[in-house]
């Protein structure tokens, strides 16, 4: 059994230690907000935070989590109240199909914790997720809005 | 993103769905589906609207929402005529099985070809109007007054004379018992108050907190997960496999053949299935295409460029004479590659099969197409099958006409009766089992008289036909010609050529390949716009005329094309000098009934690093149902188009697609995103244009034309990464 803390909750899962964190979160903990896109850390749909760092969970073995705190998209809304980033996403009507947006929002969450007022260059460097619908223009606007909130 | 097809009747649908059992052609008995069961408890006011006692308005939507905003747009159309309180609106998807039982009361489910709104706007507005008329009539009946003394607004009916009011919710039950009116007069667009407004999407909130359920997220009690490997050589078959090692792995339950071409591993979890299939030894019978390569295909296309036989798509004057009489000519060759849709959510479907019932849950662009595949694979009568549409993580044409994943899920579930099976493709499977943007080469020749006046153009296409594979009946009807190949340069219709050229020949040497082609956002207009609009710049340069001025010479009969071109040119500041080091390009086209143009400003560093500073799009779809969503579709289409232009090509080696993931098939990122400005024109008229696809096609030629001005090099083969050029 592997012990890990996800969204503040201690969890114990029976998984092969090489199983990517993504699939433990999705299939064993039943939280499907974190998405599978590529499996090789290219697209960022699977982005979660480990110790506050944005990581691509599709290549992050569950055994490497240890005592580090894992945060997923499901942790951001508290008692029905969206985070300021999520609110900015709604306000700017960012999502199209929405599939990549959990990853985008988690990458942004990590960014704004480190750089509360990011420049465009900071955003370019931190949010490298693929969006095939092409929501980038709204993503950038939403990040700036969240930074001002 | 199907090419435009004639209205498909139910019988044609059945005939066209190749392997559909005969059961579908017969009467289908009533069967209550889960989706509508809840709504059916509340009164249905005509086919499109259900109103619950609490005044909630349920609008039925049959086109699939995959990010393009059609769900909200279609609801706006219904609400406009219904006169309901927008804050009470919700939506639901009827199932395709339900639709068939009700004689296709909701029309086509197909969500491609940018048709969602433009081809259903009239009947859904009528659906809203019919419901309003029934509600008003019911209120009038209750009050014993004439219906024409009553009005509906904001979900309340008012009797003008007495001031009596009743809510939609209170009168809905009575209204549902009235006959559905057939004489319906729709509002004049001038008085629209819901259509045309920047109304917020109905489906945003659950996309920001992870709660939206996509096909890949489904779970059912006892469900098993599967993944699949199909013969990587197109046309090849499964010879043998050994699953013994995989079967010893934890969680792996079954290793099975799927049809004649694939092996699946079924396990407790997807990850177990995925690691399991990597442990299966598979021997393929690679079949006749094992030697096909990009080089062999290119050779075949090259031969077509000068072949005698070709299908004519558009003709004016006498091009043969113009060719002989020409004082001078220019000729160029262009090339457009195979490309994969690469939806963010890989293909998936969940199926449960028993001898008496087969249900499929699938993210689909066409529920009816999914149902046809389900029935064919299930081997049980049509009335015992249904499809439940689940949210899509992108479609772009991959999830409509092609239902290979649906078929596979059913074929797997059939071997494990009674258990829900969720089939998920790996990205590698998704990349190598695509339905690819067809490959096309083009030789294009322009003729001039002695005064450097353009006298004619011959545009010879050589390459693959989508319809020959996907809709062979249409090709047969046209004696071998694929009309969709000519999108954007066609002689008439929604993809009509946007210029008048004195002598013109557009023809196609059909050179089909064993690589399965598909409808890919924008379809054939993508390559035709590059071929023609880049060549227009080449012609303008030869004629010594400004690129916009040159185009205007041939736009006299095409006022809406001209208006779009002018709008883009003006917004980019075409006649004013560009900032130092910045270069401009422009292109225009008609696609999917919309008139579109794009202009861009870019600069180039070190000869190969392109920075696009600005892109302007002008689009005239006739009517703009939701400008905010149009803007997002336009900038999104540019991301799709620029990714294709700079990065994307699927190459073929030994009968297989070489690119297996985003590391070799990249898509542009936020840092590369240019600022996009959208200008919406509303030319009105009887033909409504589409939104999702039209603008994609003008992005690439506008950039290529600017790139020529910046570098002096004319890149006629894409993607640009082949030339070492990157978007920064």
């Amino acid at each position: 059994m592997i012990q890990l803390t996800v969204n503040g909750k201690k969890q114990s899962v029976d998984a092969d230690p090489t199983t990517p964190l993504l699939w433990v979160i999705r299939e064993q903990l039943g939280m499907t907000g974190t998405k599978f896109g590529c499996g090789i850390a290219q697209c960022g749909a699977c982005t979660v935070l480990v110790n506050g760092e944005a990581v691509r969970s599709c290549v992050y073995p569950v055994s490497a989590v240890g005592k580090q705190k894992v945060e997923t998209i499901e942790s951001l809304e508290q008692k029905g109240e969206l985070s300021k980033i999520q609110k900015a996403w709604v306000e700017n009507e960012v999502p199209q199909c929405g599939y990549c947006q959990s990853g985008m929002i988690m990458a942004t969450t990590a960014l704004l914790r480190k750089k509360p007022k990011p420049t465009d260059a900071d955003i370019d460097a931190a949010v490298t997720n693929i969006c095939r619908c092409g929501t980038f223009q709204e993503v950038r606007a939403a990040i700036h809005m969240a930074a001002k909130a | 993103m199907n090419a435009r097809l004639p209205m498909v009747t139910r019988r044609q649908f059945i005939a066209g769905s190749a392997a559909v059992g005969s059961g579908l052609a017969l009467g289908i008995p009533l069967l209550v589906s889960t989706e509508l069961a809840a709504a059916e408890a509340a009164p249905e006011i005509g086919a499109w609207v259900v109103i619950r006692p609490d005044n909630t308005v349920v609008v039925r939507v049959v086109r699939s929402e995959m990010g393009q905003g059609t769900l909200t747009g279609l609801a706006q159309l219904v609400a406009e005529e219904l006169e309901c309180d927008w804050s009470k609106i919700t939506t639901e998807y009827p199932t395709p099985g339900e639709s068939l039982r009700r004689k296709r009361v909701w029309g086509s489910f197909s969500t491609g070809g940018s048709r969602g709104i433009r081809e259903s706007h009239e009947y859904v507005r009528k659906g809203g109007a019919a419901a309003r008329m029934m509600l008003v009539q019911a209120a009038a009946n209750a009050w014993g007054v004439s219906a024409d003394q009553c009005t509906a607004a904001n979900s309340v009916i008012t009797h003008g004379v007495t001031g009596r009011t009743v809510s939609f919710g209170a009168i809905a039950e009575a209204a549902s018992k009235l006959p559905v009116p057939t004489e319906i007069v729709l509002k004049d667009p001038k008085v629209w108050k819901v259509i045309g407004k920047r109304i917020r999407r109905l489906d945003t909130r659950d996309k920001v907190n992870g709660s939206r359920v996509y096909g890949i997220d489904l779970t059912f009690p006892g469900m098993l997960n599967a993944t699949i490997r199909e013969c990587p050589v197109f046309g090849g078959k499964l010879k043998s496999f050994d699953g013994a090692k995989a079967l010893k792995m934890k969680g792996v339950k079954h290793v099975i053949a799927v049809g004649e071409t694939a092996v699946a591993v079924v396990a407790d979890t997807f990850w177990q299935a995925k690691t399991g299939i990597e442990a299966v030894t598979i021997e393929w019978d690679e079949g006749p295409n094992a030697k096909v390569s990009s080089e062999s295909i290119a050779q075949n296309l090259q031969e077509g460029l000068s072949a005698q036989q070709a299908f004519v798509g558009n003709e004016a004057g006498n091009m043969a004479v113009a060719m002989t009489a020409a004082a001078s000519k220019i000729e160029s060759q262009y090339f457009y590659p195979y490309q994969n849709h690469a939806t963010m959510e890989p293909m998936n479907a969940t199926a449960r099969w028993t001898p008496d019932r087969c249900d499929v849950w699938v993210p689909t662009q066409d529920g009816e197409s999914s149902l046809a595949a389900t029935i064919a694979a299930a081997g049980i009568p049509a009335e015992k099958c249904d499809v439940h549409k689940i949210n899509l993580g992108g479609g772009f044409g991959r999830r409509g006409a092609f239902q290979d994943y649906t078929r596979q899920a059913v074929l797997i579930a059939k071997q494990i009766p009674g258990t829900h099976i969720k089939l998920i493709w790996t990205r590698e499977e998704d990349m190598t089992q695509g339905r690819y943007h067809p490959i096309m080469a083009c030789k294009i020749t322009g003729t001039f008289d002695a005064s450097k006046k353009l006298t004619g153009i011959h545009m010879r296409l050589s390459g693959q036909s989508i319809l020959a594979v996907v809709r062979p009946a249409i090709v047969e009807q046209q004696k071998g010609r694929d009309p969709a190949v000519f999108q954007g340069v066609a002689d008439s219709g929604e993809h009509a050529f946007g210029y008048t050229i004195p002598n013109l020949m557009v023809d196609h040497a059909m050179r089909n390949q064993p690589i399965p082609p598909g409808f890919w956002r924008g379809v054939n207009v993508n390559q035709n716009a590059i071929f023609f609009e880049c060549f227009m710049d080449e012609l303008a340069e030869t004629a010594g005329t400004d690129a916009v001025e040159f185009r205007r010479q041939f736009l006299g009969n095409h006022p809406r094309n001209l208006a779009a071109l002018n709008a883009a040119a003006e917004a980019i500041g075409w006649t004013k000098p560009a900032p130092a080091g910045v270069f401009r390009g422009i292109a225009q086209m008609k696609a999917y009934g919309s008139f579109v143009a794009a202009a861009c400003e870019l600069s180039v560093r070190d000869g190969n690093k392109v920075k696009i500073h600005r892109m302007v799009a002008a689009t005239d779809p006739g009517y703009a149902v939701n400008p905010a969503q149009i803007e997002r579709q336009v900038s999104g289409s540019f991301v799709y188009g620029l990714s294709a232009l700079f990065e994307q090509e699927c190459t073929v080696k030994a009968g297989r697609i070489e690119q297996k993931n985003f590391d070799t098939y990249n898509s542009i990122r936020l840092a590369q995103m240019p600022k996009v400005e959208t200008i919406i024109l509303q030319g009105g008229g009887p033909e409504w244009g589409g939104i999702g696809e039209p603008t994609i096609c003008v992005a690439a030629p506008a950039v290529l034309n600017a790139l020529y001005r910046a570098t002096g090099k004319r890149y006629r083969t894409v993607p640009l990464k082949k030339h070492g050029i990157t978007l920064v």
Side-chain angles (χ1 to χ4, degrees), chain A residues 14 20 26-27 35 37-38 42 77 80 86 90-93 96-98 128 132-133 136-137 140, chain B residues 66 200-201 207-209 214 216-217 250 269-270 341-342 427 632-633 636 648 661 667 669-670 676:
Chain A
D14 178 16
R26 285 181 58 84
E27 301 198 296
K35 300 301 187 204
C38 67
Q42 285 287 317
E77 184 175 346
Q86 290 172 311
V90 171
E91 195 56 34
N92 286 278
E93 297 206 283
Q96 289 188 27
C97 87
T128 58
R132 293 289 287 148
C133 297
F136 300 127
Q137 188 148 297
R140 189 185 298 282
Chain B
M66 49 193 164
R200 290 187 166 266
R201 292 180 70 121
K207 294 175 188 165
V208 305
N209 64 8
Y214 297 84
I216 202 169
D217 301 327
K250 193 175 171 195
T269 69
F270 167 77
H341 301 80
R427 176 60 59 189
R632 283 161 179 75
Q633 284 306 293
Q648 298 175 344
N661 210 317
S667 190
R669 317 291 168 125
L670 192 150
V676 176

Side-chain angles (χ1 to χ4, degrees), chain B residues 96-112:
Chain B
E98 177 81 11
S99 177
L100 279 180
R101 287 192 301 278
R102 294 179 61 174
K103 301 182 178 151
R104 294 190 85 215
V105 64
W106 295 292
S108 171
F109 280 56
S110 174
T111 316

Side-chain angles (χ1 to χ4, degrees), chain A residues 14 19-20 23 26-27 32-33 35-38 40 42-43 45 73-74 77 80 82 86 89-93 95-102 105 123-124 127-134 136-140, chain B residues 66-67 200-201 204-205 207-210 212 214 216-217 225 250 269-271 340-342 344-346 392-394 396 425 427 629 632-633 636 639-640 643 648 661-663 667-671 673-676:
Chain A
D14 178 16
T19 307
W23 295 103
R26 285 181 58 84
E27 301 198 296
T32 56
K35 300 301 187 204
F36 166 56
C38 67
I40 60 165
Q42 285 287 317
C43 77
I73 185 75
E74 285 86 357
E77 184 175 346
L82 297 176
Q86 290 172 311
W89 243 251
V90 171
E91 195 56 34
N92 286 278
E93 297 206 283
Q96 289 188 27
C97 87
Y99 193 81
C100 73
Q101 299 297 334
S102 295
I105 289 169
I123 294 169
D124 289 348
V127 183
T128 58
N129 306 40
I130 293 178
C131 172
R132 293 289 287 148
C133 297
F136 300 127
Q137 188 148 297
E138 290 75 31
V139 168
R140 189 185 298 282
Chain B
M66 49 193 164
R200 290 187 166 266
R201 292 180 70 121
T204 297
R205 201 179 193 281
K207 294 175 188 165
V208 305
N209 64 8
R212 186 173 175 88
Y214 297 84
I216 202 169
D217 301 327
N225 287 271
K250 193 175 171 195
T269 69
F270 167 77
W271 185 252
N340 190 298
H341 301 80
M344 286 305 295
E345 179 194 29
L392 295 78
F396 313 117
W425 285 15
R427 176 60 59 189
Q629 296 315 315
R632 283 161 179 75
Q633 284 306 293
V639 172
Y640 212 75
S643 294
Q648 298 175 344
N661 210 317
F662 288 121
D663 52 348
S667 190
I668 72 164
R669 317 291 168 125
L670 192 150
M673 176 74 190
K675 184 169 180 285
V676 176

Side-chain angles (χ1 to χ4, degrees), chain B residues 112 130 141 196 208 228 240-241 274 305 406 427 479 638 654 669 719:
Chain B
N141 293 351
V208 305
I228 196 162
S240 66
F241 67 96
K274 196 242 175 202
L305 289 179
T406 299
R427 176 60 59 189
K479 300 189 169 65
F638 280 7
R669 317 291 168 125

